Amino acid sequence: MSTLRFPQGFRWGTATSSFQIEGGADERGDSIWDEFCRVPGAIADGSDGRVAVDHYHRYPQDVELMASMGLDTYRFSVSWPRVLNPDGSVNRVGMGFYDALVDTLCAAGIRPWLTLYHWDLPAWLSGGWTNRATADAFADYAMRVHDALGDRVRVWTTLNEPWCASFLSYAGGHHAPGHTDPAEAYAAAHHLLLGHGLAVKALRAADPEATLGLTLNFTPAYPADPDSAADVDVVRRVDGTAHRIFTDPVFRGEYPADVIADAGAAWPSGLVHDGDLELIGAPIDVLGVNYYTSQLFHAGQPAPQPTPHPAATDAVAVDRPELSRTDMGWEVTPDAFRDLLIGLHRDYTGPAGIPLAITENGAAIDDPDPASGPIDDTERIDYLVGHLSAVHQAIEAGAQVDTYLVWSLIDNFEWAFGYTKRFGLVAVDEALNRVPKASARWYSELVRTGTLTLPERA
Ligand code: IFM
């Protein structure tokens, strides 16, 4: 049997986000996701995040679960409309929840990794991320949270997946606020990055020793026909708005010229002010990588509908029937993960001397109902084995990767899919009891030994 040993000191954990697990909605303000859930047809099963999996009331049990699995790190996000009131003052009860959560994590020996923004923007911020003022409000919010928790939380992620919060939300219409205007998407992307830059500046000044970063989601795009100039070009344009519009300003202090040229009239005039790129490009300490799948595209004529790739309206996704898929319909492509990590280290983080952290990776599997007996989610375990093996290969090839966090600790609200998709190591039954799956036991053993056992090849 072959095994792969991860480096000494490699850190293991799980990730979640506030809106997806907390519930406790009567005890916080509305976010844009509360509003979006009320739009008929926006959420596949018509559900919402008002109760979710009730982590707001059951967090001691969830922390205890993680401790029993031997996890070292827990990445969670703070709900902005829980901790701040519309007038900008701190909601003491809301902040108290995170204060208690962080204390409980620390007492259990689990490192708290805090994400400031995982999409639940306060509904009262006029214009959302299309409004430049939201970036300033974000930096103020970051400091309020730091004032309360900075003595114990040492790792801070500003944004989770700004592509989703801009292009998927303001151009594709799939996520809150459900708009379909490319110009709004470019504005949102820049203001999210500006908010990141302003928050890093403020946090750095207040707490020079803190570890600061942001998390980007990567779905590597490949041409269906590498010899077709049209396919190669459509992939360049998908990659431009999915990835380089974020990596280049953060690590190189500039927007790629081709991305601005491809945006054409959709790039709002006067969007970028003097000094913005210096703020956005200020050094960070870690890049969070979220990875689930890769995609093949050819240049063609897709059915006309709003797209989250506004500069690539000719992009047609091409299926690879030979690959297995998760319950999201996403193709399982661990080799692309390895290549991504090697490429990010070579082109962005290595030259900056900073590590990569896998802040999300995992699989939605159509698990049986927990009421029907123990959940033997071997498909999820297989997915994780394949992707951890890819991480190991990337490390062997020289990529600096020091953390791996499974998405997700527990089944939860999967955005526009509601509760129809299950990513958790732990299931939740009708009564909201927690039921660990086989993958939770498997992961616990991996964390204990730091050694991945590979299946025998046939
Ligand atoms: O559930 C989401 C998470 O909120 C952000 N990253 C992708 C996950 C799976 O879709």
Side-chain angles (χ1 to χ4, degrees):
M1 188 167 299
S2 58
T3 56
L4 298 176
R5 175 121 197 101
F6 278 79
Q8 199 68 35
F10 194 84
R11 308 198 72 154
W12 303 95
T14 54
T16 64
S17 87
S18 46
F19 193 84
Q20 291 178 276
I21 65 166
E22 283 178 6
D26 291 337
E27 288 137 287
R28 59 162 171 74
D30 258 8
S31 76
I32 56 173
W33 269 94
D34 293 293
E35 293 183 327
F36 193 58
C37 289
R38 287 181 210 124
V39 175
I43 309 298
D45 57 0
S47 63
D48 57 37
R50 299 202 64 76
V51 175
V53 296
D54 197 32
H55 173 76
Y56 183 70
H57 297 108
R58 297 170 195 240
Y59 73 88
Q61 191 188 343
D62 293 338
V63 173
E64 174 51 37
L65 259 174
M66 288 187 273
S68 72
M69 289 165 67
L71 304 186
D72 157 279
T73 296
Y74 176 51
R75 173 176 176 250
F76 64 98
S77 76
V78 171
S79 162
W80 183 348
R82 189 184 293 290
V83 299
L84 292 195
N85 298 312
D87 66 2
S89 62
V90 171
N91 177 329
R92 300 274 158 217
V93 175
M95 196 69 90
F97 164 70
Y98 295 105
D99 195 51
L101 171 64
V102 167
D103 272 352
T104 310
L105 288 165
C106 293
I110 298 172
R111 170 176 69 148
W113 180 312
L114 188 152
T115 298
L116 284 160
Y117 187 70
H118 199 126
W119 311 348
D120 41 358
L121 188 70
W124 58 81
L125 289 175
S126 165
W129 286 108
T130 66
N131 185 348
R132 189 177 167 94
T134 297
D136 295 309
F138 177 70
D140 288 346
Y141 153 67
M143 286 311 296
R144 296 304 186 98
V145 179
H146 184 272
D147 290 346
L149 308 177
D151 57 336
R152 287 150 292 157
V153 175
R154 309 306 303 137
V155 190
W156 294 73
T157 290
T158 53
L159 307 174
N160 180 70
E161 302 185 359
W163 179 79
C164 294
S166 52
F167 290 96
L168 197 60
S169 302
Y170 288 92
H174 300 286
H175 277 193
H179 295 184
T180 55
D181 179 345
E184 287 193 9
Y186 286 108
H190 180 65
H191 295 146
L192 280 153
L193 285 170
L194 181 61
H196 157 81
L198 289 165
V200 165
K201 183 177 180 196
L203 291 168
R204 188 74 81 201
D207 188 356
E209 302 302 319
T211 297
L212 307 178
L214 89 170
T215 277
L216 302 176
N217 57 307
F218 294 91
T219 304
Y222 297 96
D225 176 359
D227 294 326
S228 153
D231 287 7
V232 169
D233 192 62
V234 85
V235 162
R236 175 188 64 74
R237 284 177 280 121
V238 167
D239 181 54
T241 51
H243 308 127
R244 291 183 289 116
I245 197 172
F246 301 108
T247 49
D248 286 34
V250 168
F251 289 102
R252 298 178 180 161
E254 61 188 18
Y255 282 113
D258 66 316
V259 169
I260 297 182
D262 292 336
W267 186 271
S269 72
L271 178 63
V272 182
H273 294 195
D274 284 350
D276 286 2
L277 285 161
E278 285 72 22
L279 279 166
I280 295 166
I284 55 174
D285 308 306
V286 60
L287 174 64
V289 175
N290 289 359
Y291 179 85
Y292 293 89
T293 188
S294 64
Q295 267 192 309
L296 219 58
F297 289 101
H298 83 80
Q301 284 190 319
Q305 59 184 2
T307 170
H309 303 297
T313 50
D314 52 341
V316 179
V318 178
D319 288 348
R320 290 167 281 185
E322 71 281 13
L323 298 177
S324 54
R325 290 168 179 260
T326 67
D327 197 38
M328 297 296 283
W330 296 344
E331 292 167 340
V332 177
T333 57
D335 289 353
F337 190 21
R338 174 201 58 215
D339 296 346
L340 167 72
L341 296 172
I342 293 170
L344 287 173
H345 177 79
R346 181 191 58 227
D347 298 338
Y348 293 104
T349 51
I354 69 166
L356 296 163
I358 312 308
T359 40
E360 287 182 26
N361 177 237
I365 303 295
D366 188 14
D367 299 317
D369 193 297
S372 64
I375 298 175
D376 189 15
D377 53 339
T378 47
E379 268 184 84
R380 179 172 290 105
I381 296 173
D382 289 350
Y383 178 98
L384 295 172
V385 169
H387 287 74
L388 277 159
S389 170
V391 173
H392 194 272
Q393 288 168 31
I395 294 172
E396 296 272 281
Q400 198 187 340
V401 185
D402 63 11
T403 303
Y404 179 89
L405 309 178
V406 174
W407 185 270
S408 180
L409 170 66
I410 191 162
D411 288 345
N412 58 50
F413 177 80
E414 177 54 25
W415 307 111
F417 295 92
Y419 297 95
T420 65
K421 304 293 175 193
R422 296 168 182 181
F423 278 90
L425 300 178
V426 175
V428 181
D429 72 12
E430 283 282 307
L432 299 178
N433 295 311
R434 279 54 177 147
V435 185
K437 306 176 191 177
S439 57
R441 291 182 285 280
W442 168 85
Y443 191 51
S444 172
E445 183 61 10
L446 168 62
V447 170
R448 192 182 65 75
T449 60
T451 301
L452 181 69
T453 303
L454 300 175
E456 298 293 348
R457 291 204 183 277

